[in-house]
């Protein structure tokens, strides 16, 4: 086979194609050379488009952007304030980072750059005046002390009958931690952030105690347990109810964050109970069998609350959250609840009339004259309301200069008591004034016997004087 020689036109085509390729190569290399000193298309540095820019152009653009820089400070209650970069001396810093990033780009891949973005973040790009920043922060409205509210801790509510104790949630307030805000602003400015949230940055002073506090919940639970207590004190037909409304005033939280019930307050309450309901030693208004009322003072008969024991008992009941009806602990007791503590069984002793009546369950069991203490010698029988100590047969009564045997002995006031007096021929009248006893109530034998057989220890003995009843008969 023979060879084919290229014609002149054929070579021309080859040269044209070679020329085109060479031209394209030169263009490619030219752009590659160009992009060795310019940023590739699609390059963005810190949010600024810098494609086809030299480093000095990028610096100029960044400078212009920084001149317009401002940062918004978003605070609670929809408040917003702005710091302008020029006011805090924000200036760009060009430390060679741009040149380094330019060197890192592959200038030979410039055609591909037209079809993609290259986003570059340079950390240190700006500086600012710390002095100016602090001054501007101090001038912010949100930093004005008058505009800032301190946070309030979650706390226990006042007691209410409907809800008892509840937790009042914490209040966030608007007081800002200046050091924390400055720290957050420094970071944001260096990174040219356009805004910060005071809330998200944790710059607000936070409440120390929140509604989710386990300790707070335990305290409320304990306090509600205490105020659930309801103690009804029964005094005959009268009653007093102690409930949560008053107990709530006695509760407090000590330094160890423990709920305590004030024993002083409980003791004061028990003391008030005693003042209102104790009858021992208090004046008694007594309607006599002679149709008149007398006031009797003194004596050892009546109700008396044992305040120490009742304080302890009441403290325990409150701690248990108990609902109960009770009588208090008594140091001394009477036969009948209420103010008329002597009830319907008592001995009425009228020293003026020298006459006594013994009532048992409201019925007259005994009525008798007697001889009381010798008035002339100062041995008058004391008035008052007393309780019979005991009764005893065949006792010898002894005192200064005497020893007297009796068949029936019933003491009610120290060494003073009822007894038979066989040596006396008569009773009643004025015999007591000069010929009376050492203080005892001398009775006829039969009267003493009847009294002894029907009376019991603890029976009330009401001893009084009633002018105008000398020799008068009782209205029974």
């Amino acid at each position: 086979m023979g060879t084919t020689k290229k014609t002149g036109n054929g070579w021309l085509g080859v040269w044209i194609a070679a020329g085109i390729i060479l031209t394209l190569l030169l263009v490619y290399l030219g752009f590659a050379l160009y992009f060795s000193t310019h940023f590739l298309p699609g390059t963005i540095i810190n949010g600024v488009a810098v494609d086809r820019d030299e480093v000095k152009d990028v610096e100029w653009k960044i400078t212009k952007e920084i001149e317009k820089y401002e940062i918004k400070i978003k605070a609670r209650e929809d408040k917003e304030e702005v710091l302008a970069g020029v006011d805090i001396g924000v200036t760009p810093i060009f430390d060679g980072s741009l040149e380094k990033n330019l060197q890192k780009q592959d200038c030979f891949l410039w055609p591909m750059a037209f079809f993609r973005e290259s986003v570059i973040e340079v950390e240190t790009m700006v500086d600012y005046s710390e002095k100016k920043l602090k001054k501007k922060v101090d001038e912010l409205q949100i930093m004005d002390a008058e505009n800032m509210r301190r946070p309030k801790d979650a706390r226990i509510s006042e007691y209410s009958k409907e809800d008892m104790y509840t937790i009042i949630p914490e209040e966030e307030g608007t007081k800002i931690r200046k050091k924390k805000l400055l720290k957050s602003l420094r970071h944001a400015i260096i990174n040219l952030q356009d805004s910060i949230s005071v809330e998200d940055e944790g710059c607000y002073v936070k409440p120390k105690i929140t509604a989710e506090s386990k300790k707070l919940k335990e305290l409320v639970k304990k306090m509600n347990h205490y105020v659930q207590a309801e103690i009804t004190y029964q005094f005959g037909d009268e009653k007093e109810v102690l409930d949560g409304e008053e107990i709530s005033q006695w509760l407090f939280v000590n330094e160890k964050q423990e709920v305590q019930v004030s024993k002083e307050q409980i003791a004061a309450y028990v003391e008030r109970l005693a003042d209102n309901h104790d009858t021992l030693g208090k004046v008694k208004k007594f309607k006599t069998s002679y149709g008149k009322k007398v006031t009797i003072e003194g004596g050892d008969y009546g109700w008396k609350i044992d305040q120490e024991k009742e304080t302890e008992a009441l403290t325990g009941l409150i701690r248990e959250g108990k609902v109960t009806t009770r009588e208090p602990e008594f140091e001394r007791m009477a036969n009948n609840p209420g103010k008329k503590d002597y009830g319907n069984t008592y001995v009425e002793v009228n020293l003026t009339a020298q006459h006594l009546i013994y009532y048992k369950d409201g019925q007259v069991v005994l009525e008798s004259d007697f001889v009381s203490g010798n008035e002339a010698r100062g041995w008058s029988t004391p008035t008052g309301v007393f309780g019979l100590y005991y009764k005893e047969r065949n006792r010898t009564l002894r005192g200064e200069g005497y020893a007297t045997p009796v068949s029936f002995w019933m003491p009610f006031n120290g060494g003073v008591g009822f007894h038979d007096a066989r040596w006396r021929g008569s009773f009643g009248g004025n015999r007591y004034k000069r010929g009376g006893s050492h203080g005892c109530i001398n009775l006829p034998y039969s009267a003493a016997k009847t009294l002894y057989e029907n009376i019991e220890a603890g029976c009330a003995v009401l001893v009084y004087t009633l002018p105008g009843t000398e020799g008068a008969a009782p209205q029974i």
Side-chain angles (χ1 to χ4, degrees):
M1 294 178 64
T3 59
T4 303
K5 292 182 179 180
K6 289 186 180 288
T7 63
N9 290 334
W11 282 108
L12 179 61
V14 171
W15 283 108
I16 290 172
I20 291 171
I21 293 170
L22 182 60
T23 300
L24 291 173
L25 179 60
L26 290 173
V27 169
Y28 170 76
L29 292 174
F31 273 105
L33 180 63
Y34 175 81
F35 284 116
S36 67
T37 58
H38 294 71
F39 285 98
L40 290 170
T43 302
I44 298 172
I45 297 179
N46 285 18
V48 179
V50 297
D51 54 324
R52 293 182 290 278
D53 285 340
E54 292 184 279
V55 168
K56 62 182 179 63
D57 299 321
V58 176
E59 289 178 347
W60 181 84
K61 282 186 175 182
I62 289 174
T63 300
K64 288 300 179 183
E65 286 296 318
I66 288 176
E67 285 177 358
K68 297 185 291 182
Y69 175 72
E70 62 180 23
I71 182 168
K72 293 178 182 177
I73 303 171
K74 298 177 180 179
R76 284 175 179 163
E77 300 176 349
D78 296 325
K79 292 181 180 178
E80 184 175 284
E81 298 197 52
V82 177
L83 282 181
V86 293
D87 292 335
I88 55 176
V90 175
T91 53
I93 295 176
F94 302 114
D95 58 355
S97 299
L98 294 173
E99 287 84 353
K100 290 177 182 177
N101 277 282
L102 181 64
Q103 292 170 10
K104 287 180 183 178
Q105 71 179 12
D106 192 340
C107 59
F108 292 104
L109 298 179
W110 63 265
M112 298 176 63
F114 287 97
F115 305 101
R116 65 185 181 188
E117 282 188 348
S118 176
V119 179
I120 300 172
E121 292 290 337
V122 178
E123 284 190 10
T124 306
M125 291 297 296
V126 296
D127 195 7
Y128 61 91
S129 167
E130 180 71 18
K131 184 177 180 180
K132 289 181 178 180
L133 175 63
K134 288 181 177 180
K135 182 175 181 296
K136 283 298 177 181
V137 166
D138 286 339
E139 293 173 357
L140 293 172
Q141 288 188 11
I142 59 173
M143 293 302 296
D144 187 338
E146 293 185 0
N147 296 332
M148 288 195 284
R149 299 191 315 277
R150 283 189 169 276
K152 290 184 180 180
D153 289 342
R155 58 198 185 279
I156 301 171
S157 70
E158 294 292 327
Y159 172 83
S160 77
K161 199 166 186 177
E162 295 76 21
D163 303 320
M164 295 194 291
Y165 289 103
T166 58
I167 294 176
I168 299 175
E170 67 277 9
E171 295 177 22
E172 296 291 348
T174 57
K175 186 171 179 60
I176 295 172
R177 298 157 61 198
K178 182 180 175 182
K179 288 184 179 180
K180 178 64 176 170
L181 179 61
L182 283 169
K183 182 178 180 181
S184 298
L185 281 170
R186 291 184 191 110
H187 181 269
I189 291 166
I190 288 173
N191 290 280
L192 294 175
Q193 291 177 217
D194 58 3
S195 68
I196 67 164
S197 165
V198 182
E199 178 89 60
D200 294 344
E201 293 293 325
C203 299
Y204 284 109
V205 176
K206 295 180 179 179
K208 294 179 181 178
I209 303 172
T210 72
E212 297 305 310
S213 164
K214 184 178 178 182
K215 187 66 180 177
L216 197 61
K217 289 179 178 179
E218 288 175 355
L219 290 174
V220 168
K221 183 179 179 181
K222 194 74 170 177
M223 292 171 78
N224 282 335
H225 174 71
Y226 287 165
V227 296
Q228 282 176 350
E230 184 174 291
I231 295 92
T232 301
Y233 283 99
Q234 200 74 47
F235 299 94
D237 295 333
E238 297 179 21
K239 67 179 181 179
E240 293 207 22
V241 179
L242 173 65
D243 58 17
E245 197 158 354
E246 184 152 11
I247 293 171
S248 67
Q249 300 173 39
W250 306 345
L251 303 183
F252 66 95
V253 179
N254 65 15
E255 294 177 354
K256 296 180 180 180
Q257 293 297 295
E258 299 168 331
V259 179
Q260 297 290 305
V261 189
S262 169
K263 274 203 170 183
E264 290 78 11
Q265 295 276 20
I266 296 175
Y269 175 80
V270 172
E271 185 177 2
R272 291 200 303 274
L273 280 183
D275 287 342
N276 292 334
H277 299 283
D278 277 3
T279 60
L280 179 65
K282 291 186 177 179
V283 172
K284 289 181 172 57
K285 302 288 186 180
F286 175 65
K287 186 175 181 179
T288 71
S289 299
Y290 296 83
K292 295 181 180 180
K293 288 185 178 179
V294 292
T295 298
I296 307 177
E297 297 184 19
D300 61 0
Y301 182 85
W303 297 101
K304 183 179 181 182
I305 294 174
D306 188 323
Q307 295 187 34
E308 185 175 342
K309 285 185 178 179
E310 186 55 30
T311 297
E312 288 297 322
L314 183 53
T315 301
L317 291 171
I318 292 171
R319 286 176 175 163
E320 292 175 26
K322 200 82 171 176
V323 177
T324 186
T325 298
R326 68 182 268 107
E327 285 187 347
E329 297 282 345
F330 285 108
E331 183 179 332
R332 295 291 296 271
M333 300 181 72
N335 288 335
N336 193 63
K339 303 297 183 186
K340 189 182 175 182
D341 52 12
Y342 47 85
N344 295 319
T345 299
Y346 57 89
V347 183
E348 178 181 348
V349 180
N350 184 341
L351 296 178
T352 304
Q354 291 287 286
H355 195 80
L356 68 75
I357 307 107
Y358 174 43
Y359 290 92
K360 188 170 186 178
D361 298 327
Q363 302 299 314
V364 176
V365 173
L366 172 67
E367 184 181 353
S368 175
D369 287 338
F370 60 79
V371 176
S372 61
N374 191 315
E375 188 178 88
R377 294 195 176 187
W379 297 339
S380 296
T381 302
T383 59
V385 181
F386 309 93
L388 192 74
Y389 298 160
Y390 57 87
K391 58 183 182 178
E392 183 179 358
R393 287 295 310 274
N394 302 319
R395 172 77 175 266
T396 297
L397 305 180
R398 300 181 186 277
E400 188 175 348
Y402 71 90
T404 306
V406 298
S407 298
F408 307 100
W409 172 234
M410 294 159 279
F412 59 82
N413 179 17
V416 175
F418 302 109
H419 62 79
D420 55 294
R422 291 188 179 186
W423 58 90
R424 291 190 181 276
S426 60
F427 297 85
N430 293 324
R431 294 170 183 82
Y432 72 98
K433 291 188 176 183
R434 293 187 176 277
S437 68
H438 289 83
C440 287
I441 304 296
N442 291 178
L443 291 168
Y445 181 88
S446 61
K449 182 175 184 295
T450 299
L451 184 61
Y452 184 91
E453 290 173 348
N454 288 276
I455 202 168
E456 299 295 338
C459 179
V461 179
L462 294 89
V463 185
Y464 64 89
T465 60
L466 183 58
T469 59
E470 296 85 347
Q475 299 173 10
I476 54 175

